[in-house]
Amino acid sequence: MQKNILIIGACGQIGTELTYTLRAQYGNDSIIASDIREGNEELMNSGPFELLDATDYDALEELIAYYEIDEVYLMAAMLSATAEKFPMRAWNLNMNSLFNVLNLAKEKKISKIFWPSSIAVFGPNTPATDTPQNTIMEPSTVYGISKQSGERWCEYYHNKFGVDVRSIRYPGLISWKTMPGGGTTDYGVEIYHKALNEGEYTCFLRASTKLPMMYMDDAIRATLEIMQSPAEQIKTRSSYNLAAMSFTPAEVATSIASHIAGFKMIYEPDSRQEIADSWPSSIDDSKASKDWGWQAQFDLEKTTKAMLANLKT
Ligand code: AKB
């Protein structure tokens, strides 16, 4: 039987590309895109689209019944930099939307959930290099605290109620179709736009700040691979470490400069520097590789080529 899938937060950086990819795989009518605001025309016109506040349990329950939804991808969240400005709003959105989908699965109204976690679950006391799957976490940001709590709840609902929830800890995501919003790793996308349009970029992080990053094609593939794996292969029900590459602002500037002669980088670190300093510089994702075969395909050079080629057209 054809299953219907609901994407919550479909207009965001990940949600947009996830919607297109799932529509290509399962057919446009089976993928219901939803968001609290309208998105681009292509996304809204290529299949069903609904305005939805993910913190409104009744509205969500109604939508799930109406479209006979089987799986939910909960991509709505307030990211690290914005969450520091609005801590209570971030907690409310990030936690209550998760409780809503977990409780709908507990009530057997949906059968499978994808929920994104982040490298933000780690904190200043975490080993920063090759950060293991299981280690000290102690996140120091509002966003990180919400993601770590979310991971605990996902594992709890799986163990106590058999909820089939699957999750990965995304690194910073580099994409060209939709801009990110409110994150600390957003510079990794902005830099390509500014390089092409203005030939220079003022970076809000220091030159030497190394963070784990991933090209969007890898992130979408990882998301579908974990969701499409047999349940017994998903042995971690909090969230999986996931990695592809790590780079500093200076390294991505060098990579861009090898394609755009004269590209200039200026450094003006702001409050986001403190957030970045609390996160790991590289991630050990061997558990994801072992359990469900994860393998990244994009390094920095391949990412730079893909970003510049796609943004130019
Ligand atoms: C952010 O910077 O807040 C996000 C993340 C790493 O989860 N991109």
Side-chain angles (χ1 to χ4, degrees):
M1 201 186 78
Q2 177 68 50
K3 60 184 166 192
N4 288 338
I5 296 176
L6 174 66
I7 302 171
I8 301 173
C11 300
Q13 188 196 12
I14 312 173
T16 303
E17 299 207 28
L18 193 56
T19 303
Y20 295 149
T21 309
L22 284 170
R23 282 186 174 158
Q25 273 194 16
Y26 292 97
N28 290 352
D29 293 344
S30 300
I31 308 302
I32 320 313
S34 73
D35 206 297
I36 197 149
R37 60 185 167 86
E38 296 197 334
N40 68 52
E41 296 290 314
E42 187 189 347
L43 182 117
M44 292 197 303
N45 296 337
S46 59
F49 178 83
E50 297 282 347
L51 286 174
L52 174 75
D53 173 359
T55 65
D56 181 341
Y57 183 88
D58 293 339
L60 180 58
E61 188 182 31
E62 206 177 297
L63 203 67
I64 280 170
Y66 180 77
Y67 283 104
E68 300 179 352
I69 299 292
D70 191 46
E71 284 181 19
V72 173
Y73 289 69
L74 172 55
M75 311 313 287
M78 194 182 287
L79 298 187
S80 56
T82 310
E84 290 304 300
K85 292 188 193 133
F86 308 106
M88 288 302 116
R89 267 168 57 190
W91 181 257
N92 178 39
L93 170 62
N94 295 0
M95 298 313 297
N96 290 338
S97 59
L98 176 59
F99 278 125
N100 285 349
V101 291
L102 287 173
N103 284 325
L104 285 162
K106 180 184 164 197
E107 301 299 327
K108 309 266 181 271
K109 292 182 174 156
I110 49 176
S111 67
K112 211 194 262 187
I113 299 167
F114 178 81
W115 175 77
S117 188
S118 158
I119 54 160
V121 293
F122 300 116
N125 297 323
T126 303
T129 312
D130 276 335
T131 300
Q133 173 70 37
N134 299 109
T135 185
I136 299 168
M137 297 176 98
E138 302 178 3
S140 56
T141 63
V142 171
Y143 174 64
I145 293 168
S146 75
K147 288 294 177 189
Q148 200 202 4
S149 309
E151 287 193 8
R152 298 289 87 232
W153 281 111
C154 286
E155 192 180 81
Y156 184 88
Y157 270 69
H158 176 75
N159 291 341
K160 292 277 174 184
F161 311 120
V163 168
D164 188 354
V165 54
R166 303 170 184 211
S167 176
I168 48 192
R169 293 172 179 152
Y170 289 123
L173 298 180
I174 314 296
S175 66
W176 55 272
K177 283 190 187 153
T178 309
M179 291 297 281
T184 302
T185 57
D186 294 7
Y187 92 86
V189 177
E190 290 168 9
I191 190 171
Y192 289 100
H193 288 264
K194 291 280 182 183
L196 281 168
N197 297 333
E198 295 169 27
E200 66 172 49
Y201 178 60
T202 303
C203 184
F204 56 76
L205 297 181
R206 273 195 300 270
S208 59
T209 308
K210 185 173 258 189
L211 287 171
M213 298 281 189
M214 181 175 283
Y215 187 57
M216 186 59 85
D217 289 22
D218 269 346
I220 297 294
R221 193 168 47 78
T223 308
L224 299 189
E225 281 175 11
I226 192 174
M227 284 299 273
Q228 293 167 359
S229 293
E232 59 277 10
Q233 274 176 243
I234 311 303
K235 300 200 171 73
T236 294
R237 293 298 184 148
S238 50
S239 191
Y240 278 94
N241 275 7
L242 196 73
M245 57 187 152
S246 286
F247 58 73
T248 64
E251 285 164 348
V252 65
T254 304
S255 169
I256 292 173
S258 71
H259 298 268
I260 301 176
F263 172 62
K264 192 174 154 215
M265 190 82 157
I266 300 151
Y267 296 96
E268 285 178 9
D270 66 15
S271 58
R272 288 168 280 191
Q273 183 66 51
E274 194 183 339
I275 302 176
D277 287 342
S278 77
W279 290 350
S281 53
S282 61
I283 299 284
D284 173 0
D285 63 354
S286 50
K287 186 83 174 34
S289 302
K290 181 167 169 274
D291 287 1
W292 44 277
W294 165 245
Q295 203 69 57
Q297 288 175 359
F298 281 78
D299 60 11
L300 176 56
E301 184 48 27
K302 213 170 152 192
T303 299
T304 295
K305 276 196 184 134
M307 285 296 287
L308 295 178
N310 282 301
L311 287 175
K312 258 187 217 158
T313 52

